[in-house]
Amino acid sequence: MKDNDEDAGRGLLSEQIDQYGALSRSRSRSRRRSGEEDDDAALALFRDEQELHELIDPEKEGKLVRKIDLMILPYLAICYCFFYIDKTTLSYAALFGIGEDLDLHGNQYNWLSAVFYIGFLMWAFPTNFLLQRLPVGKYLGINIFMWGFFLMWQAACKNFESLAALRILGGAAEACADPAFMLITSMWYTRRQQPIRIGLWYSANGLGIAGGGLLGYSIGHIKGALPSWKYEFLIIGALCSIWGVVMFVLLPDSPVTAKFLSGEERKLAVERLRADQTGIENKTLKPYQVLEAFKDYKTYFFFALATVANIPNGGISNFGTLIIKGFEFSTLVTTLLQIPYGVVISVSILSCVYINDRLPPNSRCKMVALFMIPNIIGSFGLFFVPLDYHVSRLMCYYMTGPYNAAFVLILSLQIGNVAGHTKKVVSNAVTFLGYCFGNLIGPFFYKSSQSPTYPLGIATMIICNIAEVVIILMLGILLARENKKRDELQKGVERDLDSTAFSDMTDRENINFRYVY
């Protein structure tokens, strides 16, 4: 009986492997009939399949990666720095008297914080599909320019309604930013390299907080014809627009078309991603991949993670300066005290990705949970430490910064665990819908009547931090089980990575795909 069960099990595994092979062959025939529009754009670089089997020279690859780093990361990092400076302009404008000048009352400041993400939410799916159809670098540059343009126009606002309308437009312009950064990172770097590179450009988030503090302090000293909050919008908006032009001109759209790479370097840039089985780019929108994305449990896990990670962010980014001012510091000192918070964020991100890179593979979910511990401690401190313990409360506030490091690894998990370009686009959009939703509702937990301690907002932060730990550990368990299942299916079978590497198959279609966790 036991031998019969084993034979039946082997037969079932063999049948499943044959089904995967039949699917791959069917897709190959379909590509030939459709002019290879199903294939990844990377295949255009290779004259024949034999070129896909060429060995990679580690020395050449190392030199190429350094070249890519210099041509990609500075643009993304500086841009991300501007992103956070832009997001905090409203909080600095609040310090400089925008509420009094525009006669803001009730929950209108909360709504100004939130409507930015309404624009983001409305444009999230259209902008992600445009990212698939249009050159990524050019489209990103245009949106960054418009983002700065709308920010400058906010200096001309005379009431709540006009400011809210411009913040909605600014949110729509920003909607492409993070998804574009994720696509760019997945195009240029292996899954092993992605956490460090995401960490490098995301750590500019902390520099944006510190830089925003310095800019806010400097702008606060301008004695001109306009109120200080108007200079905040004009100066930062102009810098964003200028950088948008730089990105449009200099940021390459993909490794396949990058002008700063030679023909051999372009081939190497895509060939080294073959083992990841995630492909580079495909301009054809595939409805079945859209449907698969919404049937995949990972899509909803990443939405939930993005939501619970950014409900606290929505509050802190808009009310952080007001929380610090509640420690009885002056307005200008409050702007300077944001600088250490930015440093904490940058250091925590860089240390997190550095440690993760030196741990055994598949340690990311555990690292997310580990780096959430300071946030949980800090948020409990803000809730329970008495208000007159100013320094202790300030230290607790700084401890809420490492959640950014955890979110970096969550982003690396999202782009590393989804294959098929259309599916990646949809998954990115859903993830950043969660990001948007969290930032949208976060400010409403910080009620003006509870200033300066905001107990409801801090309690929400505690709940979200704990929920994030639980969700990420559950996801890690599920991905580990899926890998084990696929290893069993292919036990004793040689994996043909070349046949599926650039076929634009989804992670569910491609049995050679392995999840990272």
Side-chain angles (χ1 to χ4, degrees):
M1 178 67 73
K2 182 177 179 181
D3 290 341
N4 290 338
D5 288 343
E6 289 179 354
D7 290 341
R10 281 194 295 269
L12 178 61
L13 293 178
S14 177
E15 181 181 342
Q16 288 178 293
I17 292 172
D18 288 343
Q19 287 174 351
Y20 275 109
L23 173 63
S24 180
R25 289 190 296 272
S26 173
R27 288 177 57 79
S28 296
R29 289 192 296 269
S30 174
R31 285 195 297 273
R32 286 194 293 271
R33 289 195 301 268
S34 61
E36 299 193 2
E37 67 175 8
D38 279 357
D39 284 328
D40 193 274
L43 287 181
L45 294 173
F46 300 93
R47 291 186 299 271
D48 55 64
E49 289 188 10
Q50 188 59 37
E51 290 186 346
L52 287 170
H53 296 264
E54 293 179 0
L55 296 176
I56 296 175
D57 182 342
E59 185 176 344
K60 286 185 178 180
E61 183 183 11
K63 184 178 178 181
L64 175 63
V65 171
R66 289 189 291 273
K67 186 174 182 179
I68 292 171
D69 285 342
L70 290 174
M71 294 304 298
I72 298 295
L73 294 180
Y75 298 118
L76 302 189
I78 293 173
C79 196
Y80 216 80
C81 185
F82 280 129
F83 289 169
Y84 206 90
I85 291 175
D86 172 70
K87 288 177 184 177
T88 56
T89 51
L90 184 63
S91 65
Y92 288 113
L95 286 176
F96 295 145
I98 191 174
E100 293 78 10
D101 289 355
L102 299 190
D103 190 29
L104 302 179
H105 53 273
N107 287 331
Q108 286 186 334
Y109 180 78
N110 302 68
W111 274 108
L112 288 174
S113 304
V115 294
F116 182 89
Y117 294 100
I118 291 178
F120 193 117
L121 184 68
M122 292 168 60
W123 195 238
F125 269 102
T127 202
N128 272 274
F129 288 125
L130 286 171
L131 277 170
Q132 181 177 12
R133 299 292 296 175
L134 301 174
V136 176
K138 304 294 185 294
Y139 183 67
L140 180 60
I142 291 171
N143 278 269
I144 293 167
F145 176 85
M146 294 306 299
W147 186 7
F149 175 78
F150 293 134
L151 188 60
M152 285 188 287
W153 266 105
Q154 291 177 40
C157 292
K158 299 185 183 300
N159 51 48
F160 166 79
E161 290 77 13
S162 58
L163 185 57
L166 284 168
R167 284 186 61 77
I168 290 173
L169 292 173
E174 191 204 330
C176 84
D178 286 291
F181 283 17
M182 303 287 282
L183 284 176
I184 291 168
T185 304
S186 66
M187 283 180 186
W188 289 96
Y189 296 103
T190 65
R191 292 197 294 181
R192 178 63 185 266
Q193 295 168 338
Q194 285 166 7
I196 288 240
R197 270 61 187 192
I198 295 174
L200 287 171
W201 55 255
Y202 201 96
S203 65
N205 190 337
L207 296 178
I209 295 174
L214 286 173
L215 276 171
Y217 183 79
S218 302
I219 291 169
H221 281 84
I222 295 176
K223 306 298 181 185
L226 301 175
S228 294
W229 63 268
K230 290 181 179 284
Y231 288 113
E232 181 84 15
F233 289 131
L234 288 170
I235 292 171
I236 295 174
L239 291 173
C240 284
S241 288
I242 291 169
W243 193 248
V245 174
V246 173
M247 297 274 283
F248 181 90
V249 174
L250 298 179
L251 184 67
D253 295 308
S254 85
V256 180
T257 59
K259 295 180 181 179
F260 69 88
L261 296 180
S262 67
E264 182 182 357
E265 287 174 329
R266 292 178 197 173
K267 290 180 181 179
L268 178 56
V270 300
E271 166 64 16
R272 68 193 200 88
L273 304 180
R274 173 163 49 100
D276 288 345
Q277 300 286 301
T278 54
I280 303 292
E281 185 179 34
N282 188 292
K283 295 298 185 184
T284 303
L285 179 65
K286 300 178 180 177
Y288 86 91
Q289 290 194 11
V290 176
L291 183 61
E292 181 178 315
F294 284 110
K295 288 182 176 179
D296 193 335
Y297 69 84
K298 297 193 305 297
T299 302
Y300 302 99
F301 267 85
F302 289 124
F303 174 83
L305 285 166
T307 300
V308 297
N310 285 283
I311 289 175
N313 182 62
I316 288 293
S317 62
N318 290 287
F319 287 85
T321 55
L322 300 179
I323 291 173
I324 294 177
K325 193 175 182 182
F327 302 157
E328 299 183 5
F329 297 114
S330 70
T331 297
L332 291 178
V333 169
T334 297
T335 64
L336 289 177
L337 287 175
Q338 281 287 77
I339 296 174
Y341 188 62
V343 172
V344 167
I345 289 175
S346 292
V347 171
S348 63
I349 291 173
L350 295 176
S351 61
C352 179
V353 295
Y354 179 84
I355 295 169
N356 177 75
D357 193 54
R358 280 148 183 80
L359 290 175
N362 296 325
S363 300
R364 298 185 199 184
C365 291
K366 295 175 184 176
M367 285 293 290
V368 170
L370 178 64
F371 270 75
M372 287 305 299
I373 293 174
N375 299 270
I376 295 172
I377 295 172
S379 52
F380 269 106
L382 286 174
F383 193 86
F384 289 108
V385 174
L387 185 60
D388 54 348
Y389 285 66
H390 298 153
V391 175
S392 296
R393 288 180 62 81
L394 182 63
M395 293 301 104
C396 290
Y397 172 73
Y398 289 156
M399 288 179 71
T400 64
Y403 79 89
N404 289 273
F407 193 58
V408 164
L409 288 187
I410 290 171
L411 294 180
S412 77
L413 285 166
Q414 191 266 321
I415 63 171
N417 284 311
V418 181
H421 198 76
T422 299
K423 186 177 179 180
K424 279 193 280 188
V425 165
V426 174
S427 179
N428 282 352
V430 172
T431 298
F432 285 101
L433 281 177
Y435 165 90
C436 171
F437 183 65
N439 279 288
L440 174 64
I441 66 176
F444 290 99
F445 293 104
Y446 291 78
K447 298 185 176 297
S448 56
S449 60
Q450 297 182 343
S451 173
T453 55
Y454 301 106
L456 178 60
I458 302 304
T460 304
M461 187 187 305
I462 294 171
I463 294 169
C464 288
N465 288 341
I466 294 173
E468 186 173 342
V469 172
V470 173
I471 295 170
I472 195 66
L473 293 178
M474 288 174 59
L475 178 62
I477 292 170
L478 291 173
L479 294 178
R481 286 180 178 175
E482 183 63 29
N483 279 358
K484 185 176 180 181
K485 177 182 175 183
R486 293 182 180 214
D487 289 341
E488 286 293 326
L489 283 172
Q490 291 188 302
K491 185 180 293 184
V493 177
E494 185 177 353
R495 295 168 62 194
D496 183 8
L497 299 181
D498 295 330
S499 65
T500 55
F502 301 115
S503 59
D504 197 43
M505 296 173 73
T506 68
D507 53 280
R508 282 194 168 185
E509 291 177 293
N510 184 359
I511 194 174
N512 288 326
F513 189 93
R514 293 296 183 272
Y515 296 99
V516 290
Y517 56 89

